[in-house]
Amino acid sequence: MNRFFLGFVITGMLFLTSCAKKTTLFEGDGKMEEFSPIEVKYDYLNAKAKIVIEEESGKITRGTLSVRAKKDSVLWFTMSPGMGMEAIRGLFTQEKIQIRDRVGRDDVNLTYLEFERLYGLKLSLELFQNVIWANIPYPVSYEDRLVRVGKKFELTQVRNNVRYFTKVETSHGKVSEFSSNSLDDRGSVLASFPKFQDINSQPFPSEVLFKIAFQLPEGSQNTRIHVNWTSIDPNSGPLSFPFRF
């Protein structure tokens, strides 16, 4: 699997139906005294974004991204470098990751466990959903560490040999910073959410910066990905998720 492709896959098909001409920033009431983070609500979602991928070698790739989702069931995406040409199409379900790479022919048909063994990153559909939309990675339990520091809550969680550290803003109840590190140091993901947009009175990320470290046969690799969501529709009717190898 080439570096560009893996970096793109890890961001969750990044990191939306009509093109938004103007972004309305989300402003919370700043009154989250108790820890009650906001999780965006949708059944079906349709979205578009612009992405810029910077590889460790210095290579920069720009493209557009289309995402469709059925909550807790399917995450589907296509990515195009321009001129209407589809480069990659993917389907993420509860069971596995399936990718059709029309350019590099690096197709993927793996369970999440198989993906972890190959690349050192533990993924799941739930984690993809939460990281893309700036939710906390997992519900809070008694074993987690939660503290308030100024205008942020800091949450530390360990699940399945991965440590997750999340900062949640009291002003709007969404994640502003996220990191995950495997306890064996094989892979890590960092995300920063500087701005949120108001979509039907819900806070969705406006832009996101991802930093990803992962394993390839030739050694560890690092990738930076900037995602700029251009449109988001969380009220789409039933959507189709066309995919085949």
Side-chain angles (χ1 to χ4, degrees), residues 1 4 10 21 31 38 67-68 70 73 75 103 125 145 151 171 218:
M1 183 183 293
F4 161 77
I10 294 169
K21 296 181 179 180
K31 297 179 180 179
I38 296 176
V67 173
R68 298 178 185 177
K70 180 180 180 181
S73 179
L75 236 172
V103 178
L125 177 63
R145 182 178 184 270
K151 296 182 179 181
S171 60
E218 59 267 34

Side-chain angles (χ1 to χ4, degrees), residues 204-219:
F204 282 86
S206 176
E207 57 182 286
V208 192
L209 176 63
F210 291 92
K211 299 179 181 179
I212 303 156
F214 52 90
Q215 299 292 327
L216 288 176
E218 59 267 34

Side-chain angles (χ1 to χ4, degrees), residues 133-144:
W133 305 127
N135 301 324
I136 63 173
Y138 293 100
V140 177
S141 74
Y142 70 92
E143 59 187 330
D144 300 333

Side-chain angles (χ1 to χ4, degrees), residues 66-106:
S66 295
V67 173
R68 298 178 185 177
K70 180 180 180 181
K71 189 171 176 59
D72 300 326
S73 179
V74 178
L75 236 172
W76 174 99
F77 74 91
T78 65
M79 185 268 179
S80 171
M83 303 299 291
M85 178 188 302
E86 180 182 270
I88 300 172
R89 176 173 297 206
L91 186 70
F92 295 70
T93 65
Q94 291 283 1
E95 292 75 32
K96 59 170 42 178
I97 300 172
Q98 293 179 293
I99 305 293
R100 179 74 167 89
D101 180 5
R102 301 181 185 277
V103 178
R105 301 299 179 184
D106 291 319

Side-chain angles (χ1 to χ4, degrees), residues 119-148:
Y119 303 111
L121 283 171
K122 186 178 293 292
L123 303 176
S124 68
L125 177 63
E126 179 185 21
L127 188 59
F128 271 131
Q129 289 181 161
N130 288 336
V131 172
I132 289 174
W133 305 127
N135 301 324
I136 63 173
Y138 293 100
V140 177
S141 74
Y142 70 92
E143 59 187 330
D144 300 333
R145 182 178 184 270
L146 176 64
V147 297
R148 179 166 180 164

